[in-house]
Structures are given as C-alpha cells and as structure tokens.
Amino acid sequence: MAEHPYAALAADWFRANARDLPWRRPGIGAWPILVSEVMLQQTPVVRVLPAWEAWLARWPTPAALAADSPAEAIRMWNRLGYPRRALRLRECAVAIVDRHGGVVPDDLFELLALPGVGTYTARAVAAFAYRQRHPVVDTNVRRVVARAVAGEPDAGPATRPADLVATERLLPSDPEEAVVASAALMEIGALVCTARAPRCADCPLIACCAWHGSGRTAPPGPTRRPQRYAGTDRQVRGLLLAALRGAEGPLPRQRLDLVWADATQRRRALAGLVDDGLVEIREDLCALAGDHRD
C-alpha cells in the first residue's frame, strides 16, 4: 500500500522548522518525556519549560519522586495549574517503581495501566520515548487531520476512536518515520494550523488540504469558550494552595479564612481540595497531602 503524502510533507517541514524543545532531544529518556507530556496538558510550552527543568533536577527518576511526599510534589508544581496532575504523576512514579522496577514501561497496555496515564499520554511515551508506531492524537493533531483530510473546520470537543484510526492511516509503515510524522502533525497544529488564526500560506499541507481546497469555511464560533478565572472556585483553590505551599507545616483553618472573604465559596473550594486528595484537615489544621507532622 502506498504511503500517504501528508506524512512526508509534514515530516520535511518539521525537520526544518520544529522548535528545539528539550524533551525532543535524542536520548532524553522515557521519564523526562512522560513528565513533559503530563505537564503540557492544558498548559503552554513557555510555562512548562522552567517547571520541567526544575522537576527533573529534583526528581531525575521515578524512584526519586516516589520516595518523596505528595506534599512536595504539590509544592514543586507551584502555579503550573491543575495541581491534581502533580499527585497523579507521583502516583505514576510509585507504580513504575512497584510494578516495573523503576523503569517506565515500553508496552502500550502497561503504560495505559499507570495512574493518570490516558490514551494520549501512553501513546506519546511509546512513540517519542520508545520510537514505536502509534497514532499520537492531541487537540492539535485532531484539528490538522480534520481540516486536511476530512475538510472540516474543527474536530469537535473530544478525542474519539475514529480520530485514532484516521491519524494512524496517515502514518508511514516505518516506526521511526511514523514517530517523526506524529511530532510533525502536532507541531503544525500548534504553530500553523491553529484554531482561530490558521496560517495556511505557511502550511506544508496546503496543496492537499481538503479544507483549504473547499474555500476554508470558518468554524461557526470559537471551538472552546475561554474559561473565566477571576472570582471562580478555581481562583480560590489556587489561593488556598498557595498559602499551604508557602507554609512549613499545617496551618490553622483560621489562617486560611484570610485568603478569601466569601466564607461559603472558601469552604466549598477547601472541600474540593480535600476531595481531590490535595489537602488534609486534622483537628482544624490544614496541610498539603502528606504534610501533617505525626
């Protein structure tokens, strides 16, 4: 069966235009790649870079992170956002140590069985760390494939099995070339075929893009509504976590009362942090998970 032209065009462009990101460098290892993939979920590269470097300087292996407390993982996550990822990453490190002798597994199903590792992350690690042929499908890839192949302006709000199938059809049969193509499609979606302002003139797929060829009908509106932050429970949760991260141990609940004036919203946000396993309360003392002094 003939190879699909999209992959070759994307790969040639990628080799000349890809960003020099540290987790893409040869020989970087599976653990740094896994950390980068978790951090990059819903977070821009510019914010991830310093956090990734600091995290790996402190915990260069899964065993190093597994040996430390959940509280330290939450502290180190700082204000990267969605702090449950810090807990999941530490739980993942513990599982890697317990089940795989401290080595990130190279089998897709074993990766999928790790805590906090989903369809995208497992395939990304298998492909980028172990050079295996898997469709690595994030929001950017889904958008590129929807536009270039299906002629649709957008791929919809969530990844479906059909997205994996459609992307896999584009990949070369050679595993190494498939890995490059996967990274290339992702980079094109991040830098060129963006959701709101695609730069079609700069796209290596323009000559065979079904969406561009059809006249490039724009989506009916933003594919995702920007999330309001100011005044939300997310903001209050962040303020509460910041207070606890800055403390050397548990804080009386009354100290947290100073963080936010609305008592109802503050209690709701604190309860959410407890439910998520990020905060513990003992005898009216609040602390990051695992940070109570027994």
Side-chain angles (χ1 to χ4, degrees):
M1 184 172 123
E3 301 285 4
H4 206 289
Y6 289 98
L9 292 168
D12 288 345
W13 175 90
F14 181 77
R15 291 185 176 102
N17 296 280
R19 291 169 291 180
D20 180 20
L21 301 177
W23 45 81
R24 288 178 175 166
R25 293 171 186 167
I28 190 65
W31 173 242
I33 288 173
L34 174 57
V35 173
S36 75
E37 293 297 346
V38 173
M39 287 186 169
L40 285 164
Q41 295 166 13
Q42 304 181 71
T43 308
V45 167
V46 67
R47 293 185 60 204
V48 168
L49 277 167
W52 180 84
E53 290 169 350
W55 188 278
L56 290 170
R58 179 165 182 176
W59 298 305
T61 64
L65 177 57
D68 218 330
S69 71
E72 289 307 304
I74 298 169
R75 280 198 178 91
M76 198 68 178
W77 201 259
N78 202 356
R79 304 187 73 87
L80 198 56
Y82 304 97
R84 279 178 291 181
R85 291 181 293 171
L87 287 182
R88 299 294 88 78
L89 191 49
R90 182 184 174 277
E91 291 169 4
C92 183
V94 171
I96 290 170
V97 171
D98 291 345
R99 303 175 195 170
H100 305 288
V103 177
V104 178
D106 61 2
D107 179 80
L108 177 62
F109 295 102
E110 290 180 343
L111 286 164
L112 285 166
L114 294 173
V117 174
T119 296
Y120 165 78
T121 303
R123 285 170 171 79
V125 172
F128 301 140
Y130 294 114
R131 319 310 287 179
Q132 297 175 10
R133 185 185 184 275
H134 292 290
V136 184
V137 182
D138 69 351
T139 300
N140 291 318
V141 173
R142 289 172 53 242
R143 183 170 57 254
V144 171
V145 174
R147 288 175 175 173
V149 179
E152 299 292 336
D154 191 69
T159 300
R160 305 162 299 166
D163 296 319
L164 295 173
V165 174
T167 303
E168 185 171 19
R169 286 174 179 160
L170 302 182
L171 299 182
S173 55
D174 178 73
E176 183 60 31
E177 289 301 311
V179 170
V180 175
S182 292
L185 291 171
M186 195 176 301
E187 193 80 335
I188 290 169
L191 301 182
V192 180
C193 190
T194 57
R196 298 185 185 179
R199 297 186 292 112
C200 293
D202 299 325
C203 182
L205 306 181
I206 186 171
C208 51
C209 176
W211 184 53
H212 186 271
S214 70
R216 238 188 74 176
T217 303
T223 55
R224 293 186 181 182
R225 291 183 180 179
Q227 293 184 344
R228 182 173 63 92
Y229 182 73
T232 64
D233 285 4
R234 277 187 61 214
Q235 182 184 17
V236 182
R237 284 164 58 99
L239 293 170
L240 293 170
L241 277 180
L244 292 170
R245 278 197 305 266
E248 295 184 358
L251 290 178
R253 190 192 290 258
Q254 293 87 337
R255 286 279 299 278
L256 294 182
D257 290 348
L258 303 176
V259 167
W260 194 258
D262 186 330
T264 300
Q265 189 177 23
R266 188 179 63 247
R267 285 194 295 268
R268 184 171 64 243
L270 182 59
L273 292 171
V274 172
D275 289 343
D276 288 343
L278 292 162
V279 172
E280 298 171 346
I281 302 177
R282 297 183 189 175
E283 298 178 357
D284 218 35
L285 291 176
C286 302
L288 298 176
D291 208 27
H292 277 285
R293 309 293 192 245
D294 293 324

